[in-house]
Amino acid sequence: RALAELSRAIYALGLFLLTAGVLAVSIDERWPIAIDHPVDRFGLAALAATTLLVLVAFDRASDSLGPLVLIVTLIGLVGLAWAIQAVVPAITIAGVAAVLAALVQGLDVARSLVDDTFAIGTDGLVVMRPRVVASFLQLHGAIGLGLLAAGFLGAWRATPRADRTSGWFALAGTGFPLLLLVVVWGRVAGFETHVGYAAVAVALAVGFAAACVRLIGRESEEEPSLAVAVFVGGAIAALGTGAAIALERAALTVALALMIPAIAWVWRMRPIGALRVATAVTGVVVLARLGWDPAITRDIGTTPIFNALLLGYGVPAAGTAWAAWVYRGTATDLWRAIVEGLALIFVGLLALVEIRHLTHGGDLFAPSIGLVELGLDVTTAFLLSAGAQRVAGRLGSRVIEVASIGLSLFTCGIAILGLVGAENPVMTGRPVGHVMFGALLFGYLLPAVAAGLTARMARLAGRPWWFVATLAGTAYVLGFVWATMIVRRVFHGEVLTGFESDAEMWAYSAVWLFYGVATLVIGLAFDSKPVRLLSGVVVTMTAAKVFLVDLADVGGVWRAFSFIGLGLVLIGIALVYQRFLFGGPKRTAGTGDPAP
């Protein structure tokens, strides 16, 4: 068996060295230390394939032979990247190989307990650590430090004349040591919170920051160095990794979210596209974190607004909003669109979870949703859409503009189906509380006002007429339902189920007529044709009710009041239209006679 392992190792290393010698050393030009040159893609592909073969041999080799095979291969890849510019990306092949080796290496702790040793744990206590774990940590710790050193020295050597080359080395010296740390942490500590691995991540962040400071002194005045930006991004990523290792729940969410404005701040100084990608990816990670654990902490408490949710959701909202503002002058692409979309999502999530916390006494996982909660959700969504319309204009963001339109239309559907339909207290039988300041206020009046304001903002922003009409129609329907429910609350008490009396039927006619006239005045004041048309629909509907329903079902003095009220309102509407819509008879210039 030992002979077979040795044969595989020799064969894999021999093939790797042959490939490196034939396809790289003998063909490609040696490093001229001048400018970036095109890379040898075929040579890199061959190196990657033979490196994969070496990893297979490493996985099947003994504990003494495997590390030797791996280290020789990694040194060969780093040497090729250092000496031959056409295969500079081989340094990243070395990084990938190091991470894969940490993933596939055998780590049978149970079998090695007979050969254990003692060590000082992170809590200061003496713990038993199997030698196989100690060897694993020593091997991959040395590899990680080697990649960091090679990455910094290569970036130092290439800056500023070969910027792309320095970027390859910087990437290998930051990203792969950090990935290696995460893999080792997961395999040894099972992804449990651990102060020791977090300290290593913080040490890496300090090292990356120091490398960045050193490289700044070498970059050219004409163009910022790619390596500087990579090391700064690596420092931020290392801090986030340290937070992920050491913290949990709310603290972890906040720490990850703080990386978003930090990366955007670096981009302001070094406008390199990779940083926008990092911002978007970090935002998606934070969103996934919130989706995995919406409560973010075990004890949110019952204090409204000022609770852990304000930090857990507010920090991502503020961070992505600021990042979207920073990126406003860049070309609209996928990454900017993701950042802007995340800003809108986080702001909406903050409002929704705070509303749910408020309406359910701190229980985010309550099984039901009531009229008040749904009404506040709809109101918030309309206001968020209205604000997004303004922000879209300031940022020049097509993404936020389209998102605001989609959010408005979706909210209109929820308002009609949810508030007027599913959560209608006439159908649910749930009490509505106070006449003016109970559930009806939050469920219908506030959403109606918010929808009307959004319609007004959409009209001023030049949105399509059908979109403005949809918002105005939703506001009108919600206002009409609120006025109707108020009448029912007066006659029925807090529970709105039951049969109608003659007085109640007359009250509906009176209130509907008043609503129609009032909204007609509003439509004329704001020159809103949809509102004027809807007011005509309500008045016509009320007139039909008086003739078809009140005439048949309402008796006594209430029938007389219905017809008298209807007549007075119709006369008033005619006068209003004559005065405001048609302007009255015009006079002929110079005379007191009406124009023909």
Side-chain angles (χ1 to χ4, degrees), residues 466-481:
W466 58 266
F467 176 64
V468 178
T470 301
L471 288 169
T474 302
Y476 200 92
V477 170
L478 291 174
F480 179 80
V481 174

Side-chain angles (χ1 to χ4, degrees), residues 385-564:
S385 175
Q389 292 183 51
R390 291 291 302 274
V391 171
R394 297 289 299 275
L395 297 182
S397 172
R398 180 63 179 169
V399 173
I400 296 182
E401 178 183 344
V402 173
S404 68
I405 294 177
L407 177 61
S408 294
L409 296 176
F410 177 77
T411 307
C412 288
I414 294 296
I416 300 301
L417 297 176
L419 297 176
V420 182
E423 291 299 327
N424 191 318
V426 176
M427 294 185 288
T428 62
R430 296 172 183 169
V432 296
H434 192 273
V435 177
M436 297 301 299
F437 303 104
L440 299 179
L441 170 69
F442 299 101
Y444 296 104
L445 183 58
L446 291 183
V449 173
L453 176 62
T454 307
R456 179 67 176 169
M457 297 284 290
R459 183 182 179 187
L460 294 177
R463 298 291 181 265
W465 67 267
W466 58 266
F467 176 64
V468 178
T470 301
L471 288 169
T474 302
Y476 200 92
V477 170
L478 291 174
F480 179 80
V481 174
W482 172 77
T484 304
M485 294 295 181
I486 288 294
V487 174
R488 197 166 184 86
R489 169 63 180 82
V490 170
F491 284 92
H492 290 265
E494 293 190 16
V495 179
L496 305 187
T497 57
F499 297 98
E500 298 83 4
S501 63
D502 287 351
E504 182 180 350
M505 293 298 291
W506 175 84
Y508 286 137
S509 300
V511 168
W512 292 352
L513 286 172
F514 177 79
Y515 184 77
V517 174
T519 52
L520 171 62
V521 173
I522 293 174
L524 291 172
F526 290 97
D527 192 24
S528 175
K529 186 176 181 180
V531 174
R532 294 201 307 268
L533 293 175
L534 288 169
S535 69
V537 171
V538 169
V539 172
T540 302
M541 180 187 71
T542 306
K545 174 184 176 294
V546 170
F547 282 104
L548 300 177
V549 178
D550 294 359
L551 182 63
D553 296 334
V554 178
V557 68
W558 300 112
R559 179 185 300 180
F561 283 158
S562 295
F563 281 97
I564 293 172

Side-chain angles (χ1 to χ4, degrees), residues 43 69 124 146 154 174 182 191 223 232 245 265 270-271 292 294 307 311 315 411 490 513 529 554 562 565:
V69 172
T174 55
V182 173
F191 295 112
E223 187 176 356
V232 172
I245 296 174
W265 175 72
R270 307 276 169 174
W292 177 262
N307 48 57
L311 280 176
V315 172
T411 307
V490 170
L513 286 172
K529 186 176 181 180
V554 178
S562 295

